[in-house]
Amino acid sequence: MVSTADPRTYDFVIAANRLPVDRHVSPDGTTTWKTSPGGLVTAMESVMHGREAAWVGWAGFPGEAPEPFDDDALRLHPVPLSAEELVDYYEGFSNDTLWPLYHDVIVPPTFHRSWWHTYQKVNDRFAAAIAEVAAEGATVWVHDYQLQLVPALLRDRRPDLRIGWFNHIPFPPVELFAQLPWRGLILRGLLGADFLGFQRPDDARNFMRSCRSVLGTTNRGDVVHWAGADDDRLGAAPRRARAAAVPISIDASGFEHLARSPEVRERAREIRESLGDPEVVLLGVDRLDYTKGIRHRLRAIGELFEDGEIAPPEVTFVQVATPSRERVEAYRTLREQIEGTVGRINGDFSHLGDTAIHYLHQSYGREEMAALFQVADVMLVTPLRDGMNLVAKEYVTARHDGGGALVLSEFTGAAEEMRSAYLCNPHDITGLKQTILRAIRDTPTAKKRRMSALRRRVRTHDVQRWADDFLRALAVAPGKPEKPTHTDGKDA
Ligand code: GDG
């Protein structure tokens, strides 16, 4: 990677909270950057088609930001965040105000004016950085809930840009969104975009309803019409923005290729053997987050052990809970609760050499993940609310043998597309238990039929298609109204 400070500008700019690279400092003090293997990076590579692009984001450590540098055709433009800003903008407003509010208030959101002020300040810094690297008339793709003010702040600086925003998490119903003390300013921030992409049609509808109810906008179909306001803070210029569902996906061919590799298949055999060759392996893979429904899943599994419906060594449950947001109180509490429950269940139902639940609070490489998916006879994806859930899509992609069964919560964006999964309501513990048993006991033919439909869906709706769909929608989005709009006030 080459570090240069020249003021080049780019026709395509991506902005996300994090840059797609991680810094590694070796013992002799040399710094190297490694591309973080994520869906977003792959998707962006596929749409860049070799053209030069810039990525604006935080470099992953507090304090002064490194100078912009190149990673192949990608210009990386770090935005600095101080340690205090990380606490207030990232851990606070993003992860302890917006995250719970946008996920059905599973835990109560915390509202602090000081967090909000920092969120505004950091969003403004991102907007300034994007304005600096974007060429005249460039396309800018802003990602996620951490940067909701960026579209309008950027448009104020650079009306020439085409601005899109994609929400990776759900957009809440107006009844919940209305709790946010700064609701009008957030919506106004988003309306700076030409196109707003959401995971599900319901998320787009929730957004449009919030705009109508909070800002008094009207909409025709999926286009929101903002007539401008007298309130200076909201801005006076009329705008039009389109809001629609563009569900995210995974690099299906890349992941399948990895899953088919001899190393991964061999590793899958090893894992199964080290678990004692059980008849049925149940698996959960989640960031340790209260949205993922891990406690409800454990409750159902614990009761199934208690009822004698399942028992080790024939059946074992592996739960990978990747460490996440450990400085936020709600996450620490959740970890204690989960580990207490796992301990109790194992105390009651494990025997020497036969473990009921293998609980792993660790992160693993992609290869290990792909191997684990191949070992799972039944994959449990049971979030209480999830924007999409990529684990569900990765699981079916890894099952190139056509085996396995996916239990999937209705409250994920993935459930909208993956109708052939064993769908469940994770709040209904009795129903969840029955669904898990059904996924274990269904005939191989029935399971194969479902798996084959799921695999087809993900193969034909991969991350490249998502990025293409988003950029196509952004390219034709209406933007600034050319003439006064006539509105019928109907909801989409
Ligand atoms: C947000 C939204 C939306 C997990 N542990 C390890 C690991 N992972 C990988 C999974 C998957 C990704 O992380 C998690 O993605 P999810 O979609 O399941 O969930 P969030 O992190 O909450 O993501 C979500 C997503 O954004 C995209 O828009 O779907 O709804 O909440 O790829 O495999 N990967 C590795 N080691 C781990 O230990 N290598």
Side-chain angles (χ1 to χ4, degrees), residues 37-40 99 103 144-145 166-170 199 248-250 255 285-287 289 291-292 320-325 362-369 373 381 385-392 394 412-414 466:
L40 206 51
W99 181 269
H103 286 89
D144 233 356
Y145 60 102
F166 182 77
N167 196 30
H168 290 257
I169 69 172
Q199 302 277 29
I248 198 169
S249 192
I250 61 162
F255 200 65
V285 171
D286 315 79
R287 268 190 313 99
D289 195 297
T291 60
K292 302 291 182 184
V320 176
T322 311
S324 183
R325 306 179 187 172
Q362 294 164 44
S363 305
Y364 294 95
R366 307 284 301 156
E367 294 75 11
E368 189 75 357
M369 285 293 167
F373 290 146
V381 179
R385 180 58 73 195
D386 213 335
M388 175 54 62
N389 196 289
L390 296 180
V391 168
E394 288 164 354
T412 60
W466 165 73

Side-chain angles (χ1 to χ4, degrees), residues 279-455:
E279 278 164 32
V280 179
V281 176
L282 308 170
L283 175 69
V285 171
D286 315 79
R287 268 190 313 99
L288 207 161
D289 195 297
Y290 48 79
T291 60
K292 302 291 182 184
I294 305 172
R295 285 171 48 204
H296 293 64
R297 191 183 310 160
L298 283 171
R299 177 94 192 265
I301 295 282
E303 287 190 17
L304 286 172
F305 280 126
E306 204 172 307
D307 302 344
E309 294 280 8
I310 59 173
E314 290 80 18
V315 181
T316 190
F317 174 42
V318 179
Q319 174 66 53
V320 176
T322 311
S324 183
R325 306 179 187 172
E326 296 188 302
R327 281 155 48 139
V328 179
E329 178 63 31
Y331 287 74
R332 286 201 294 262
T333 312
L334 176 73
R335 182 175 172 192
E336 278 165 25
Q337 290 169 337
I338 287 176
E339 295 184 353
T341 308
V342 169
R344 269 193 299 280
I345 297 174
N346 273 338
D348 288 343
F349 302 107
S350 295
H351 312 286
L352 288 174
D354 301 332
T355 309
I357 303 180
H358 297 262
Y359 170 78
L360 305 156
H361 182 249
Q362 294 164 44
S363 305
Y364 294 95
R366 307 284 301 156
E367 294 75 11
E368 189 75 357
M369 285 293 167
L372 269 169
F373 290 146
Q374 282 177 25
V375 172
D377 300 295
V378 178
M379 182 79 208
L380 302 175
V381 179
T382 62
L384 306 179
R385 180 58 73 195
D386 213 335
M388 175 54 62
N389 196 289
L390 296 180
V391 168
K393 294 187 171 183
E394 288 164 354
Y395 172 64
V396 302
T397 303
R399 294 309 308 237
H400 53 81
D401 59 343
L406 173 66
V407 171
L408 181 63
S409 159
E410 295 163 19
F411 303 111
T412 60
E416 196 96 3
E417 299 176 73
M418 303 178 85
R419 306 305 299 171
S420 301
Y422 293 88
L423 294 175
C424 67
N425 169 5
H427 296 279
D428 170 11
I429 302 296
T430 305
L432 178 55
K433 287 164 64 183
Q434 284 162 352
T435 309
I436 295 172
L437 286 178
R438 192 162 161 225
I440 295 175
R441 293 173 182 168
D442 240 359
T443 63
T445 319
K447 289 194 216 181
K448 277 218 150 101
R449 201 177 310 121
R450 285 174 183 261
M451 187 51 76
S452 140
L454 293 170
R455 286 176 48 74

